[in-house]
Structure formats: C-alpha cells, structure tokens
C-alpha cells in the first residue's frame, strides 16, 4: 500500500523533510541519489529506505473508542444544545452488566488498547454512574494484555477536588470545551440560572494544571465564524496559567458544523483565521495538534467504535446522538461501519489518511445522507501549516520566504 506524505524542500540546505500523514513520522533526507529519484517522480523506488528508518511501518490496529453517556442531564443552558429535548433515563445494574459483557466479548484480547470516553449531557452530574463503570472496567481489564484508557468530555464546572482525585488516580484525560473568550463564552454557556460560567471553568483549569499531574488536559475552543474577539482567548488563558505550566495543556480549535456555518467554514479566510489562532497558541508554549483530520480518525467508518447512551441505545458516533432514527439497541448489537456512497473517492488522494471521504456526520446534518464531504483545500492548508510549526519546533532553519504553498504531497 502506498503511503502519502507532506514534503518540504529546504532549498537553502538542499534537504527534503517528509511527514507521513498516516503515522505522523518525520524524516529528513539529503542523499543526492534519493533526491534525484524524488525529483524524477520515482520516490516509491526508495520505499525500502523508508521502511528501514521507521518512516513507514506495518499497519497498526485501530484503537477502539467507546463513548458512554452517563446522563442526558446538564447544569448549563446552552441555546444550541440538542439534548434539551432528551428525557434522561438511568442505567440499571442489568444495563451495565450488558455493556460489560459486550466489551469483554468484543474487545478483550482483540485490541492492544481501547479508550473509554465518558460524556453527556454533563457526565459529572451522574458521577456515581461514571465511578460504577470505571470500577467494573478496572475489574475486567485487571491483569490482561488489553489496556484501557479513560477520558472525560465535560463543561468543566463540576470538577471538585474529590472528583479530580478519582480522575487523577485513574489517569483520565479531560477535555473541557470553551465557546471563545470570556465575553463570547458567557453569552452561550451560562448555568441554568443564567449566571456566567467562564470564571468557574477557569479555576478548574488552573487547579488541574497545578495539582493533578496524572490528568492530561485538552481545551477545545469552539469557533463559529471569523471574529477578532477570538484573538483574545489565548491572552485570557495566559492570565491564569503561568508560562512554565502551559506545556501541560493541549489546545485545539474546532470548527462547529451548523447548517448556517458549513457554507463558509472552508473558505480561505476561515482557514487563514484558524492558522492565526494556532500560531498564537504555539507562540505561547501550548501544545497543539500535529495534523488536522476531516473524517480520517472516525468512529462511523470503523467496526470497533460505538457510542452508548442511557437506555442502552447504541450509535455509531457521538455526534449522531440527536438522531434517534440512527440508533440500535445494545441487546444483540453487531458493530458495523457506515460507508458513504462515494466509497472510492479517496483512493488516489494524498489526504486519504486524514479524510477517507470526510466527516459523514457533516454530510448528514446538511443533506440527511452519508455522502462524500471533500475538504481538500482545508486539509492541505491546515496540515501544511501545522507541519511548518512542527519543523520550527524541531529547530529546522526555515527559509525567510517560506510559504505553506512550499509544502507539497507525494506517495511513497
């Protein structure tokens, strides 16, 4: 199978930097023989060299993602939330037993590692459910070769020290979502009594970074358009996180797909705005993604990831939870991928590893069908820019006239 890669030719040093879009390995090559092969379009003839240095590796099994919604309830009053209309249902002991049996049957000994993500609603409203799941999972995975990793998607408002001690003990990764800077966030993410939430969440972020070293923290900033007010987000974060602690925080910017925003979210202006936000985070010592995907790392398209909701309903992706017509029952469930109808669209595309036809959820909310959702310009511009930042971090001398257009794609 051919691997696809990004390529940067540093003409000043006469070197080529390659980044494998599949496993994200980076290699620098300056061998004149190789350069001649590459320049003559015969890069694949050096495949053995790429294998020998680990740039290409044997196919690795996917890491299954199991998302468990502990509750539909939430303590926020976000106007865009689809779960306002969901009636909450509690998990019975029988429900939990059924889920544990499914996991034992389908994952233990089959995969080297699985990730269990707890979400909601606000999952910490039902922290007792979360604890019960973790206790059961720890028991069935104890001493086995399959490892389990836990993550939590939360609004960040209920992270008491008691809860954080439990999460720290079990080495949780935590993702907290913010809707911009303090002003924008408080406009859309208030508590149910309409009081603002930004400062409460900020204190949680600071507490995690200072006192809970085993917790990996991700901040997801939701972006719904080009607005210069977003440019103050990093400065506000800097005001609560000293520079020596910023490398403990991973930041990414999420283009929120609404029907209104989809039409403009792939424009060149939007892409350049996201690049500016990532550069700002990078310059302030925060960790940022090394690649941008648009459907590549996808629950829908594999046969191992699922989302389980109260009442033991099963969905192929967390984003589809608002569409009851796409649910199945846990009882007797057989996990199968959903493939879009334009299955072969990506076979000759360099961005296959980060796309595979794009996000099917995005196409479904737009047209109610699972179809190709090509975002090639977005993938090229953002991945090239993130590659440039990686090279900069590695100490590569970048040419003064560098432009992301200097980064091209190739097959190996």
């Amino acid at each position: 199978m051919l691997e696809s890669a990004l390529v940067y030719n540093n003409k000043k040093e006469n070197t080529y930097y390659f980044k494998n879009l599949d496993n994200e390995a980076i290699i620098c090559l300056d061998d004149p023989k190789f350069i001649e092969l590459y320049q003559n379009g015969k890069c694949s003839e050096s495949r053995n060299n790429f294998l020998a240095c680990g740039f290409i590796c044997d196919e690795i099994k996917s890491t299954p993602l199991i998302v468990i919604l502990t509750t539909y309830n939430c303590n926020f009053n976000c106007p865009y939330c689809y779960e306002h209309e969901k009636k909450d249902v509690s998990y019975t002991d029988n429900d939990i037993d059924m889920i544990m049996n499914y996991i034992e049957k389908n994952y233990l000994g089959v995969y080297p590692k699985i990730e269990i993500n707890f979400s909601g609603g606000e999952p910490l409203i039902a922290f007792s459910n979360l604890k019960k799941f973790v206790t059961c999972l720890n028991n069935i995975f104890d001493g086995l070769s399959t490892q389990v990793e836990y993550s939590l998607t939360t609004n960040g408002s209920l992270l008491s020290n008691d809860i954080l001690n439990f999460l720290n003990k079990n080495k949780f990764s935590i993702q907290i979502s913010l809707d911009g800077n303090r002003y924008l966030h408080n406009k859309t993410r208030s508590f149910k009594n309409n009081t603002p939430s930004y400062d409460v969440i900020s204190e949680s972020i600071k507490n995690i970074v200072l006192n809970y070293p085993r917790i990996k923290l991700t901040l997801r900033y939701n972006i719904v358009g080009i607005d210069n007010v977003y440019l103050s987000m990093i400065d506000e974060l800097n005001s609560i996180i000293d520079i020596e602690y910023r490398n403990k925080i991973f930041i990414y910017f999420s283009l929120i797909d609404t029907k209104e925003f989809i039409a403009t979210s792939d424009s060149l202006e939007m892409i350049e705005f996201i690049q500016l936000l990532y550069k700002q985070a990078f310059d302030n010592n925060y960790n940022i993604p090394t690649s941008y995907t648009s459907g590549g790392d996808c629950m829908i398209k594999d046969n191992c990831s699922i989302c389980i909701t109260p009442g033991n309903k099963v969905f192929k992706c967390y984003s589809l939870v608002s569409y009851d017509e796409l649910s199945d029952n846990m009882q007797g469930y057989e996990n199968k991928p959903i493939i879009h109808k334009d299955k072969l669209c990506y076979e000759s595309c360099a961005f296959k590893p980060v796309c595979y036809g794009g996000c099917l959820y995005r196409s479904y909310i737009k047209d109610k069908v699972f179809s190709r959702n090509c975002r090639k310009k977005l993938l090229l511009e953002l991945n090239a820019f993130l590659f440039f930042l990686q090279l900069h971090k590695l100490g590569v001398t970048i040419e003064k006239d560098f432009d992301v257009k200097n980064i091209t794609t190739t097959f190996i």
Side-chain angles (χ1 to χ4, degrees), residues 78-119:
C78 305
Y80 51 74
C81 182
Y82 60 81
E83 291 181 9
H84 285 313
E85 300 174 2
K86 291 283 187 180
K87 184 178 179 181
D88 200 47
V89 181
S90 297
Y91 287 99
T92 66
D93 288 342
N94 185 59
D95 289 337
I96 294 176
D97 287 342
M98 190 184 302
I99 294 168
M100 293 303 115
N101 289 335
Y102 180 86
I103 291 173
E104 282 191 271
K105 178 181 176 182
N106 292 279
Y107 298 97
L108 267 63
V110 180
Y111 300 93
K113 180 174 67 177
I114 70 168
E115 180 185 346
I116 308 288
N117 172 263
F118 295 97
S119 190

Side-chain angles (χ1 to χ4, degrees), residues 310-372:
N312 274 11
K313 285 188 175 182
V314 182
F315 294 82
K316 273 301 297 177
C317 174
Y318 168 74
S319 298
L320 299 174
V321 166
S322 58
Y323 298 94
D324 283 335
E325 69 270 20
L326 299 177
S327 69
D328 286 294
N329 292 317
M330 184 86 257
Q331 182 90 39
Y333 177 73
E334 291 186 20
N335 198 347
K336 295 179 180 178
I338 299 173
I339 304 297
H340 62 77
K341 63 183 181 181
D342 305 306
K343 183 179 177 182
L344 299 178
C345 74
Y346 49 73
E347 290 302 330
S348 60
C349 180
F351 292 101
K352 176 181 175 180
V354 291
C355 181
Y356 280 89
C359 175
L360 295 187
Y361 164 71
R362 195 173 193 262
S363 71
Y364 193 82
I365 62 172
K366 183 183 177 185
D367 300 315
K368 285 295 182 80
V369 292
F370 293 114
S371 62
R372 182 177 63 178

Side-chain angles (χ1 to χ4, degrees), residues 61-208:
K61 277 192 173 182
S62 300
T63 297
L65 171 62
I66 303 172
V67 179
I68 299 175
L69 272 64
T70 64
T71 179
Y72 283 122
N73 286 337
C74 188
N75 59 336
F76 277 17
N77 191 32
C78 305
Y80 51 74
C81 182
Y82 60 81
E83 291 181 9
H84 285 313
E85 300 174 2
K86 291 283 187 180
K87 184 178 179 181
D88 200 47
V89 181
S90 297
Y91 287 99
T92 66
D93 288 342
N94 185 59
D95 289 337
I96 294 176
D97 287 342
M98 190 184 302
I99 294 168
M100 293 303 115
N101 289 335
Y102 180 86
I103 291 173
E104 282 191 271
K105 178 181 176 182
N106 292 279
Y107 298 97
L108 267 63
V110 180
Y111 300 93
K113 180 174 67 177
I114 70 168
E115 180 185 346
I116 308 288
N117 172 263
F118 295 97
S119 190
E122 170 46 48
L124 295 181
I125 285 179
F127 181 59
S128 59
N129 279 342
L130 186 152
K131 284 182 70 174
K132 194 179 293 185
F133 276 115
V134 170
T135 300
C136 292
L137 288 162
N138 284 344
N139 286 337
I140 66 174
F141 282 97
D142 185 34
L144 298 179
S145 58
T146 301
Q147 295 181 323
V148 60
E149 293 185 352
Y150 297 118
S151 61
L152 172 71
T153 303
T154 174
N155 61 33
S157 67
L158 298 175
L159 290 164
S160 67
N161 286 328
D162 285 344
I163 288 175
L164 285 170
N165 283 328
F166 177 85
L167 301 178
N168 190 62
K169 178 182 177 182
N170 287 281
K171 300 181 182 179
F172 264 73
S173 298
I174 296 178
Q175 176 182 284
I176 296 175
S177 298
L178 295 160
D179 280 8
N181 66 352
R182 176 185 277 103
Y183 168 75
L184 291 174
H185 178 92
N186 285 335
K187 277 180 65 176
T188 55
R189 286 198 165 216
S190 63
F191 288 98
K192 285 198 169 177
N193 62 3
N194 293 321
T195 58
S197 65
Y198 186 91
D199 290 337
V200 174
I201 298 168
S202 295
E203 285 303 309
S204 293
I205 292 169
K206 185 176 181 180
N207 190 21
I208 292 170

Side-chain angles (χ1 to χ4, degrees), residues 130-321:
L130 186 152
K131 284 182 70 174
K132 194 179 293 185
F133 276 115
V134 170
T135 300
C136 292
L137 288 162
N138 284 344
N139 286 337
I140 66 174
F141 282 97
D142 185 34
L144 298 179
S145 58
T146 301
Q147 295 181 323
V148 60
E149 293 185 352
Y150 297 118
S151 61
L152 172 71
T153 303
T154 174
N155 61 33
S157 67
L158 298 175
L159 290 164
S160 67
N161 286 328
D162 285 344
I163 288 175
L164 285 170
N165 283 328
F166 177 85
L167 301 178
N168 190 62
K169 178 182 177 182
N170 287 281
K171 300 181 182 179
F172 264 73
S173 298
I174 296 178
Q175 176 182 284
I176 296 175
S177 298
L178 295 160
D179 280 8
N181 66 352
R182 176 185 277 103
Y183 168 75
L184 291 174
H185 178 92
N186 285 335
K187 277 180 65 176
T188 55
R189 286 198 165 216
S190 63
F191 288 98
K192 285 198 169 177
N193 62 3
N194 293 321
T195 58
S197 65
Y198 186 91
D199 290 337
V200 174
I201 298 168
S202 295
E203 285 303 309
S204 293
I205 292 169
K206 185 176 181 180
N207 190 21
I208 292 170
V209 169
L210 293 180
N211 301 310
Y212 295 94
R214 299 177 81 182
I215 291 175
K216 296 178 182 177
L217 178 61
T218 294
L219 301 183
R220 186 185 87 174
Y221 284 98
N222 297 324
I223 308 298
V224 293
I226 300 172
D227 189 333
N228 287 337
V229 179
Y230 286 122
L231 298 177
S232 67
M233 295 185 300
I234 297 300
D235 286 339
E236 287 188 354
L237 186 59
N238 289 345
S239 70
I240 63 166
I241 305 296
D242 292 336
I243 190 167
E244 63 264 34
Y245 296 105
R246 292 175 193 167
N247 63 359
K248 295 185 176 181
I249 298 176
F250 180 90
I251 289 176
Y252 79 97
F253 302 101
S254 179
L255 296 170
I256 300 302
D257 289 325
T258 64
K259 289 182 179 179
E260 297 76 22
F261 185 41
I262 279 178
T264 59
S265 62
D266 294 347
S267 67
L268 182 59
E269 292 78 13
M270 190 71 235
I271 293 168
E272 290 176 343
F273 187 66
I274 296 298
Q275 289 175 342
L276 179 61
L277 293 175
Y278 274 124
K279 182 68 164 57
Q280 197 178 39
F282 177 85
D283 287 342
N284 282 276
N285 287 3
Y286 296 102
N287 295 311
I288 61 172
T290 53
S291 64
Y292 181 86
T293 67
S294 179
D297 185 14
C298 174
M299 295 177 69
I300 291 179
K301 297 168 193 165
D302 68 37
N303 61 358
C304 57
S305 297
I306 58 171
C307 174
I308 303 168
T309 68
N312 274 11
K313 285 188 175 182
V314 182
F315 294 82
K316 273 301 297 177
C317 174
Y318 168 74
S319 298
L320 299 174
V321 166

